[in-house]
Amino acid sequence: LPVNDDLLEKVFITVKTTGRNHLTRLPVIIKTWFQLAKKQTWFFTDTNDQHLSQVTGGHVINTNCSATHSRRALCCKMSVELDVFLESKKKWFCHVDDDNYVNVPALDELLKMYNPIGDWYLGRTSTPKPLQIRTKFQKTTFWFATGGAGFCLSRALVLKMAPISGNGKLMAIGDRIGLPDDVSVGYVIEHLLKIQLTRVEQFHSHLEPMRLIKKDLFNEQLTFSYSLDNDPNTVDVDGFNEITDPTRFLSLHCFLFPEASNCVEK
Ligand code: UDP
Ligand code: MN
């Protein structure tokens, strides 16, 4: 399997999760793409979980942020993700949600194209227009990368963000603009630091219809996602049945890596 030592040195991948998702969303990640990026992937959660810690080789960080879907809780987690990344000395920070599949070799290829000495904000927008917000004094517009599609920041950029949003200060930014964690990151980078988002369309969130991603282009995509609510949105890929593989991530993994151990006999 293509475990890439070069990538190991470069990137710090954070998966944002929460206690109640540990047994529902994380098993399929741990069975699939996590196996290709065990050393560089860390789960950021809000509860202690011995079992999760054991199956991830201790790659779990309890942020002590509250276990709610509130803006404050999510900004709190993102801010811990960024702080721990800075401690890691890695060149790239990549954030994903716990309903993302990361195509590890493709991510490696992407990051090879950019120099982490420069300021890079790589991600996908999910709004047709930049966000417009009105503060007391001015109207401002800025783009942000959708957190649920995954995005990457170079170390140089995260270092510039640190005085503004490091050490828990992202929560105050979120409070100020009244918007979620990914938007707050965009506000800090595009509006406050004046560094532009580089659009990378190969990141995908479940805000887009997953079935529109073509099989012959799976290899080039950086992330995939799913949602399994009343109107399921999943990648269209053959393989395991829907009962065994409701998220389609096992099948996708075997499509990308037919030689992986859980793919050999079907
Ligand atoms: N999440 C969290 N705390 C919560 C709820 C959600 O940290 O109380 C995380 C979740 O693990 C996921 C992300 O926030 O990584 C987005 O959650 P979800 O996919 O459930 O909702 P969405 O915003 O995509 O509709
Ligand atoms: Mn989601």
Side-chain angles (χ1 to χ4, degrees), residues 30-83:
I30 291 161
K31 255 183 253 171
T32 60
W33 67 266
F34 176 73
Q35 294 304 317
L36 303 184
K38 273 185 194 171
K39 286 195 181 155
Q40 54 275 62
T41 304
W42 294 80
F43 295 88
F44 285 72
T45 191
D46 43 37
T47 37
N48 290 320
D49 182 338
Q50 279 294 318
H51 174 255
L52 180 62
S53 181
Q54 195 218 316
V55 294
T56 59
H59 279 217
V60 183
I61 288 169
N62 184 350
T63 58
N64 292 314
C65 301
S66 90
T68 61
H69 207 171
S70 69
R71 175 167 44 75
R72 290 205 114 233
L74 298 182
C75 283
C76 173
K77 254 174 216 168
M78 179 67 72
S79 120
V80 177
E81 290 173 42
L82 290 164
D83 290 348

Side-chain angles (χ1 to χ4, degrees), residues 25 69 97-100 148 205-206 225-227:
R25 294 190 182 186
H69 207 171
D97 276 359
D98 60 8
D99 50 9
N100 283 130
S205 79
H206 56 70
S225 188
Y226 63 85
S227 71

Side-chain angles (χ1 to χ4, degrees), residues 54-143:
Q54 195 218 316
V55 294
T56 59
H59 279 217
V60 183
I61 288 169
N62 184 350
T63 58
N64 292 314
C65 301
S66 90
T68 61
H69 207 171
S70 69
R71 175 167 44 75
R72 290 205 114 233
L74 298 182
C75 283
C76 173
K77 254 174 216 168
M78 179 67 72
S79 120
V80 177
E81 290 173 42
L82 290 164
D83 290 348
V84 175
F85 159 71
L86 282 181
E87 287 164 27
S88 80
K89 311 287 177 222
K90 297 281 169 130
K91 294 188 170 86
W92 288 97
F93 167 84
C94 297
H95 158 96
V96 296
D97 276 359
D98 60 8
D99 50 9
N100 283 130
Y101 179 97
V102 178
N103 185 359
V104 175
L107 185 64
D108 183 37
E109 289 300 316
L110 172 83
L111 299 180
K112 277 182 192 160
M113 292 166 50
Y114 300 92
N115 188 341
I117 300 297
D119 299 323
W120 293 107
Y121 177 26
L122 309 173
R124 180 184 175 114
T125 61
S126 47
T127 53
K129 284 186 180 165
L131 203 73
Q132 192 177 78
I133 61 164
R134 195 184 284 276
T135 61
K136 224 173 195 169
F137 307 105
Q138 54 184 338
K139 247 203 253 172
T140 69
T141 62
F142 62 92
W143 289 103

Side-chain angles (χ1 to χ4, degrees), residues 248-264:
R248 308 317 291 152
F249 282 4
L250 284 176
S251 303
L252 177 62
H253 187 66
C254 292
F255 180 95
L256 293 170
F257 309 105
E259 69 278 27
S261 62
N262 42 354
C263 304
V264 196

